[in-house]
Amino acid sequence: MAGKILVLGATGNVGTPLIKALVAKGETVKAASRSGKAVAGTEGVAFDYADKATFGPAFEGVDRAYVMLPAGYVNITELLLPVIEAAAARKVKVVFQSVFGVDADDSIPYRQVEIALEKSGTPYVILRPNWFADNFQTYWKAGIDHGAIAVPAGEGKSSFVDTRDIAASAAALLTTTQFDGKAFNLTGPEAYSYGEAARILSEAIGKPVAYEAVDDATFVGILTSAGVPADYANFLAAIFYPVRQGWTAAVSDAVEVLTGQAPRSLVTYARDNAAALKA
Ligand SMILES: NC(=O)c1ccc[n+]([C@@H]2O[C@H](COP(=O)([O-])OP(=O)(O)OC[C@H]3O[C@@H](n4cnc5c(N)ncnc54)[C@H](OP(=O)(O)O)[C@@H]3O)[C@@H](O)[C@H]2O)c1
């Protein structure tokens, strides 16, 4: 594998630690985002899912790519299928960041993208991360600031995964062919309810954080009044259904299989990110 690695979403939650890991392995990385910002040790390249004219320059000199969709977009197949096509046309290996549980039903848009990749003839690996632990410092940070995380999770548990473990798994897969053609569910080592998670976060940051189980309409109202577009707020509400059903509680050994290290617990996540969580 002598070519460059293209990382989409390069300045995002997973992209940032992924690039760090790839640069540390001595890989030549093209860091793609709309800004085209050159992240330390990489070549920056301007890339926009909505503008196919940016695909050619991004894939130039590349033989492996990390493909994901940034948060905030609901037109999943429309944006991702052309990227899969562009990679396959160039025989670029794709490590695709999908979503935990989408293999339950072939009609789910993310599963449709996975199927297109499986059929594309290009080498691939599919990663299906569970809910990110890091959402507590992004989506749910405003709630933490106000002392209560209000989500429609009921008493359902999730095996939250740390984005550093997603990145380490992706870096391993981009630098070996050993797992090509496979799919992995990425989870943390233990599942917690949002009530339990609130207690862990509260302890780490030294101030009270409660969990408030709300219904979908209340949740969408909170998000839209904070400026989240209604379509994305409704999308987020819908993906709490599997949480309430208990489907996101499963734990896998994939992080350890791929990286040789046990996944970080939510307690470790909260301790390591305490400053950002209470900022
Ligand atoms: N959060 C979770 O719990 C969870 C769980 C499972 C799976 N996932 C999956 O993970 C995805 C999010 O991953 P993430 O949090 O690492 O992403 P992220 O941080 O939201 O990605 C942001 C990055 O994407 C770039 N970007 C934004 N819009 C772009 C566009 N139109 N064209 C090109 N680049 C663009 C941004 O740079 P610029 O702004 O400069 O373009 C930035 O580099 C979700 O959409 C979901 O599919 C999430």
Side-chain angles (χ1 to χ4, degrees):
M1 295 191 279
K4 299 177 184 179
I5 300 178
L6 176 67
V7 175
L8 304 187
T11 56
N13 296 311
V14 175
T16 302
L18 173 56
I19 283 187
K20 221 165 142 189
L22 291 173
V23 170
K25 282 175 181 278
E27 296 289 339
T28 306
V29 177
K30 290 179 86 170
S33 63
R34 286 169 302 181
S35 73
K37 194 175 136 196
V39 184
T42 69
E43 175 189 334
V45 61
F47 175 87
D48 191 336
Y49 293 83
D51 179 5
K52 287 186 194 162
T54 63
F55 291 14
F59 276 105
E60 207 179 308
V62 163
D63 62 5
R64 290 154 286 162
Y66 191 66
V67 174
M68 48 72 74
L69 190 65
Y73 297 92
V74 290
N75 46 346
I76 293 160
T77 52
E78 183 190 327
L79 292 178
L80 282 171
L81 289 177
V83 181
I84 300 294
E85 267 169 41
R90 295 165 176 82
K91 293 280 167 238
V92 166
K93 168 174 162 174
V94 172
V95 175
F96 174 50
Q97 179 176 302
S98 183
V99 179
F100 190 85
V102 300
D103 47 327
D105 184 340
D106 283 356
S107 71
I108 295 173
Y110 261 105
R111 178 62 193 142
Q112 289 175 11
V113 178
E114 291 184 357
I115 291 170
L117 179 58
E118 288 164 1
K119 289 184 174 161
S120 71
T122 211
Y124 72 89
V125 186
I126 293 167
L127 287 180
R128 299 190 189 114
N130 206 346
W131 287 87
F132 298 178
D134 308 61
N135 294 339
F136 291 109
Q137 68 199 76
T138 54
Y139 293 128
W140 321 134
K141 174 68 166 62
I144 291 173
D145 293 346
H146 290 103
I149 299 165
V151 293
E155 294 310 311
K157 295 190 178 208
S158 302
S159 52
F160 300 101
V161 61
D162 193 304
T163 51
R164 293 172 294 181
D165 290 325
I166 303 172
S169 303
L173 292 166
L174 286 162
T175 51
T176 179
T177 55
Q178 193 188 342
F179 301 104
D180 286 7
K182 293 188 160 61
F184 296 93
N185 292 330
L186 297 181
T187 76
E190 203 176 329
Y192 297 101
S193 68
Y194 277 79
E196 290 166 333
R199 277 194 288 281
I200 289 169
L201 295 163
S202 177
E203 199 154 304
I205 67 176
K207 69 169 213 179
V209 182
Y211 165 53
E212 211 178 300
V214 293
D215 61 20
D216 283 14
T218 307
F219 176 68
V220 169
I222 294 169
L223 291 184
T224 49
S225 60
V228 177
D231 60 352
Y232 200 65
N234 280 304
F235 170 76
L236 288 175
I239 60 177
F240 272 102
Y241 176 75
V243 179
R244 290 194 299 275
Q245 296 302 310
W247 299 337
T248 58
V251 167
S252 94
D253 64 355
V255 169
E256 185 148 14
V257 167
L258 298 175
T259 70
Q261 306 282 330
R264 292 168 174 88
S265 67
L266 191 65
V267 175
T268 301
Y269 160 79
R271 192 190 57 211
D272 291 354
N273 293 281
L277 286 162
K278 63 181 161 193

